């Protein structure tokens, strides 16, 4: 630690609220890795919609001041006394954790993985949360089989594009919804078979179209990250014994749901979070390595919308909240 700087640049909040609570600071203390932690000098930092939940107060930050951000990539600058032997100073790694919107992050080794030589550090930062979310959804939330019909909402978003690609790679048939023709075309380029608009003014039209596409049966599963605005129509197109997976709240959380509605078709309903699928280092490493394999062998494309300087965090946040983006947003310290 003696060769490292004492302070660093970081994005900090001291209370929850709008983008005005985001503070770019240049004098934040560099953390010291403890226990099994490693200190990572961040080269790229991933932006995720969940970051806006912590900033706005949808999810409560554990304490203030709080450094936002949940993932990134870079090189290990120092290691804690109990860090695993495979994580060494100088290694190129991707990580998930907290306090990523900074030059340096102390991350628990449980969620740190080395990046293969064939994959860039930039791609490494774009992968962890969104791609692993998509991979665990198709493996565990609903175990997708070849030929299954799957509905993906917000299909041109970060997780949505990963879902389109992974679903194609495993042989599923994907119905993708997105808000503009450009976004729907992007979903098609990433593997979606059928493209639909939301039909927000008449969701019955949307339901009818999905049922027509699937021969009146409905889809085997829905992966929905929009939440309140799409939940009812998504549930309506799930087939008998199908699965409805809610994993995001972009339009607001689903409230007041009556469980008895599921009995009409014996539908399974899940509200998932990634970390319950990767609660151990072994689970994380397993899925991370499978993901690297998809990128290397199946040529999965990692679409990066833009790379923003860390000090432009307000603009980046406004872009992701305004649904002006397709693919992954990154910050560079």
């Amino acid at each position: 630690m003696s060769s490292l700087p004492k302070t660093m640049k970081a994005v900090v909040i001291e209370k929850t609220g709008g983008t005005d609570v985001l503070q770019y600071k240049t004098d934040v203390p560099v953390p010291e890795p403890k226990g099994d932690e490693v200190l990572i000098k961040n080269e790229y930092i991933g932006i995720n919609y969940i970051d806006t939940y912590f900033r706005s107060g949808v999810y409560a930050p554990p304490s203030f001041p709080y450094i936002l951000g949940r993932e990134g990539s870079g090189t290990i600058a120092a290691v804690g006394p109990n860090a695993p032997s495979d994580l060494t100073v100088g290694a190129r790694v991707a990580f998930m954790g907290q306090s990523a919107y900074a030059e340096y992050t102390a991350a628990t080794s449980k969620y740190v993985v080395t990046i293969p030589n064939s994959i860039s550090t930039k791609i490494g930062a774009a992968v962890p949360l969104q791609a692993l979310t998509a991979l665990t959804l198709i493996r565990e939330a609903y175990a997708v089989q070849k030929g299954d019909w799957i509905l993906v909402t917000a299909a041109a978003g970060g997780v949505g594009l990963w879902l389109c690609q992974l679903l194609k790679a495993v042989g599923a048939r994907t119905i993708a919804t997105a808000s503009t023709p450009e976004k729907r075309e992007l979903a098609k380029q990433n593997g979606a078979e059928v493209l639909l608009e939301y039909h927000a003014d008449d969701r019955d039209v949307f339901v009818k179209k999905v049922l027509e596409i699937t021969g009146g049966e409905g889809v085997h599963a829905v992966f929905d990250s929009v939440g309140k605005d799409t939940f009812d129509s998504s549930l309506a197109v799930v087939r008998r014994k199908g699965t409805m997976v809610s994993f995001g709240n972009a339009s607001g959380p689903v409230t007041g749901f009556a469980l008895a509605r599921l009995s009409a078709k014996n539908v399974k309903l899940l509200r998932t979070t990634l970390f319950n699928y990767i609660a151990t280092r072994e689970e994380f490493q397993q899925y991370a390595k499978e993901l690297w394999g998809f990128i290397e062998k199946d040529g999965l494309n990692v679409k990066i919308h833009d790379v923003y300087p860390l000090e432009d965090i307000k603009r980046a946040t406004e872009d992701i909240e305004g649904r002006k983006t397709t693919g992954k947003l990154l910050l560079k310290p």
Side-chain angles (χ1 to χ4, degrees):
M1 292 290 293
S2 59
S3 62
L4 295 171
K6 300 294 185 185
T7 60
M8 64 178 183
K9 304 167 192 170
V11 174
V12 177
I13 62 170
E14 295 177 344
K15 61 181 180 179
T16 57
T19 56
D20 57 302
V21 304
L22 295 166
Q23 300 179 55
Y24 173 72
K25 294 191 172 186
T26 59
D27 59 352
V28 176
V30 172
E32 183 173 347
K34 300 178 176 64
D36 73 343
E37 292 178 339
V38 296
L39 182 69
I40 299 160
K41 181 175 173 55
N42 292 324
E43 188 174 342
Y44 293 96
I45 301 157
I47 299 176
N48 294 282
Y49 214 91
I50 193 173
D51 302 341
T52 71
Y53 296 164
F54 279 96
R55 187 215 71 228
S56 65
V58 173
Y59 296 161
S63 62
F64 295 106
Y66 182 67
I67 299 175
L68 292 166
R70 314 287 286 187
E71 68 180 348
S73 65
T75 55
I76 295 178
V79 298
N82 301 320
S85 59
D86 61 313
L87 298 178
T88 57
V89 172
R92 222 163 42 95
V93 295
F95 73 91
M96 296 191 307
Q98 297 190 47
S99 304
Y101 286 10
E103 285 185 280
Y104 291 88
T105 300
T108 173
S109 59
K110 182 162 76 169
Y111 294 126
V112 178
V113 64
T114 55
I115 302 172
N117 292 334
S118 60
I119 296 174
S120 72
T121 311
K122 186 177 183 181
I123 297 303
V127 163
L129 270 171
Q130 292 180 337
L132 287 176
T133 294
L135 183 55
T136 55
L137 285 173
I138 74 164
R139 292 299 193 218
E140 299 210 44
Y142 172 73
V144 176
Q145 304 298 312
K146 184 177 181 180
D148 283 353
W149 278 109
I150 308 294
L151 172 64
V152 177
T153 65
V159 176
L161 291 177
W162 278 110
L163 280 168
C164 289
Q165 293 185 87
L166 288 167
L167 288 167
K168 182 178 182 181
V170 299
R173 308 184 71 182
T174 303
I175 301 170
T177 61
S179 58
T180 67
E182 294 77 17
K183 289 184 176 183
R184 291 191 288 274
E185 178 59 29
L186 185 60
K188 182 179 180 181
Q189 293 169 11
N190 281 267
E193 181 176 339
V194 180
L195 311 175
L196 287 179
E197 58 183 290
Y198 285 109
H199 293 284
D201 294 336
D202 188 352
R203 298 293 288 174
D204 289 340
V205 174
F206 171 83
V207 172
K208 182 180 179 182
K209 285 182 176 292
V210 173
L211 292 177
E212 287 174 354
I213 292 163
T214 58
E217 293 289 324
V219 296
H220 292 83
V222 176
F223 296 124
D224 177 65
S225 62
V226 176
K228 176 172 62 71
D229 289 354
T230 56
F231 182 83
D232 286 337
S233 55
S234 292
L235 183 62
V237 301
V238 178
R239 68 176 54 199
R240 183 178 65 87
K241 298 195 292 184
T243 301
M244 173 76 192
V245 183
S246 173
F247 68 96
N249 309 310
S251 67
V254 176
T255 59
F257 179 75
L259 284 174
R261 290 175 59 188
L262 300 175
S263 65
K265 293 181 287 185
N266 283 11
V267 170
K268 303 177 190 72
L269 173 63
L270 294 86
R271 178 57 172 93
T272 63
T273 59
L274 169 62
F275 286 92
N276 283 326
Y277 289 130
I278 51 170
T280 67
R281 187 166 195 250
E282 291 73 23
E283 288 174 324
F284 175 71
Q285 295 285 323
Q286 170 199 328
Y287 276 119
K289 289 173 182 176
E290 184 180 7
L291 191 58
W292 298 142
F294 271 115
I295 294 171
E296 291 175 315
K297 297 171 188 174
D298 293 272
L300 267 62
N301 171 51
V302 183
K303 177 174 173 54
I304 295 174
H305 173 79
D306 203 356
V307 179
Y308 302 75
L310 185 60
E311 58 265 35
D312 281 356
I313 183 59
K314 288 186 181 180
R315 178 169 65 91
T317 300
E318 288 164 355
D319 285 352
I320 195 171
E321 285 189 309
R323 300 193 190 182
K324 299 175 182 178
T325 66
T326 53
K328 186 68 181 180
L329 282 67
L330 297 176
L331 294 167
K332 191 163 180 62

